[in-house]
């Protein structure tokens, strides 16, 4: 993974502060297992978002969501010493149920993966050894952090093309470009999870509040 990629930069921030300990405690696993699980979960989330933003309409819809629901949270969060977000504080808001849309991890996952959130959690469980419940919980914990991080990076400049380009690189790196999530989920190659079903995300899901 490129050291300057969105995924690796966020991963570095997560592993330097209290957020890792919070994830570890919430999932009931040790810090090493939590760290390894985050390393698998972040590319899955970023790759799916890269597919969402792969066309101009989808990229603009995602940018609108970042500006509408997440830019205020990312701006209000105290900066960490590294200049990144206070991820520990954001996780506290997620766990405490504060922050509305911006910290509603399950709601964000519904937008990111559509109806395939359980399958994404199952895939993550296969990669990490976590059960499906903990995998789902981890994705729901990380989704608001990813969105707030992207809001910090892209919301103010308002450049959907740049957002699409950088997230597209994340999708390529994770092997999910061009609907790759469908291929990852379809482990036996029987076509059960078709690209058309998995990737109906594009313009509609980020365009309106639930």
């Amino acid at each position: 993974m490129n050291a300057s990629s969105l995924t690796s930069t966020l991963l570095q921030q997560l592993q330097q502060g209290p957020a890792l300990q919070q994830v570890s405690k919430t999932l009931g696993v040790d810090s090493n297992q939590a760290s390894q699980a985050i390393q698998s979960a972040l590319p899955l989330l970023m790759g799916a978002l890269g597919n969402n933003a792969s066309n101009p309409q989808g990229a603009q819809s995602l940018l609108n969501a970042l500006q509408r629901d997440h830019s205020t949270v990312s701006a209000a969060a105290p900066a960490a010493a590294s200049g990144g977000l206070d991820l520990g504080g954001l996780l506290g808001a997620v766990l405490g149920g504060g922050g509305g849309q911006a910290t509603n991890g399950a709601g964000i996952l519904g937008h990111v993966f559509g109806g395939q959130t359980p399958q994404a959690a199952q895939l993550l469980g296969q990669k990490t050894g976590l059960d499906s419940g903990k995998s789902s919980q981890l994705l729901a914990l990380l989704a608001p952090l990813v969105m707030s991080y992207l809001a910090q990076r892209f919301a103010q400049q308002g450049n959907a093309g740049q957002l699409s380009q950088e997230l597209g690189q994340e999708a390529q790196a994770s092997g999910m470009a061009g609907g790759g999530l469908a291929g990852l989920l379809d482990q036996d190659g029987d076509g059960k999870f078709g690209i058309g079903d998995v990737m109906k995300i594009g313009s509609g899901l980020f365009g309106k509040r639930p």
Side-chain angles (χ1 to χ4, degrees):
M1 184 181 298
N2 189 310
S4 62
S5 74
L6 297 173
T7 300
S8 61
T9 301
L10 179 56
L11 177 63
Q12 184 179 31
Q13 292 184 26
L14 273 167
Q15 293 182 327
Q16 286 181 342
L20 178 62
Q21 284 69 40
Q22 288 180 268
V23 171
S24 174
K25 181 178 179 180
T26 301
L27 297 181
V29 300
D30 63 44
S31 58
N32 286 334
Q33 188 175 6
S35 177
Q36 292 171 1
I38 291 170
Q39 289 180 50
S40 294
L42 283 181
L44 188 62
L45 286 164
M46 288 286 194
L49 286 166
N51 275 310
N52 297 354
S54 62
N55 61 76
Q57 191 174 13
Q60 187 61 54
S61 296
L62 175 55
L63 180 61
N64 290 344
L66 295 176
Q67 293 172 328
R68 181 187 65 229
D69 295 328
H70 301 278
S71 59
T72 301
V73 174
S74 63
S82 63
L85 290 171
D86 175 15
L87 296 174
L90 283 174
L91 260 182
V94 174
L95 293 169
Q101 288 286 111
T103 56
N104 180 4
I108 294 170
L109 291 178
H111 291 320
V112 174
F113 294 114
Q116 301 300 319
T117 301
Q119 287 78 13
Q122 182 181 18
L123 173 64
L124 181 60
Q126 292 171 358
K127 292 168 69 69
T128 63
L130 296 176
D131 62 42
S132 59
K134 289 182 178 180
S135 295
S136 296
Q137 191 174 19
L138 176 60
L139 288 171
L141 287 173
L142 294 179
L145 306 189
V146 170
M147 295 293 280
S148 292
Y149 170 69
L150 293 177
Q152 184 191 49
R153 292 286 295 261
F154 298 103
Q156 288 190 349
Q157 66 186 26
N159 188 332
Q162 182 70 17
L163 175 65
S164 177
Q165 180 182 357
E166 294 201 32
L167 283 176
Q169 293 172 358
E170 303 300 316
Q172 290 282 353
S174 67
M176 291 172 60
L181 177 59
L184 290 173
L185 292 172
D186 184 15
Q187 295 291 303
D188 56 6
D190 66 357
K192 182 177 180 182
F193 304 113
I195 292 176
D197 294 326
V198 178
M199 290 304 165
K200 283 182 180 176
I201 298 174
S203 62
L205 291 177
F206 284 102
K208 298 180 180 179
R209 294 176 184 271

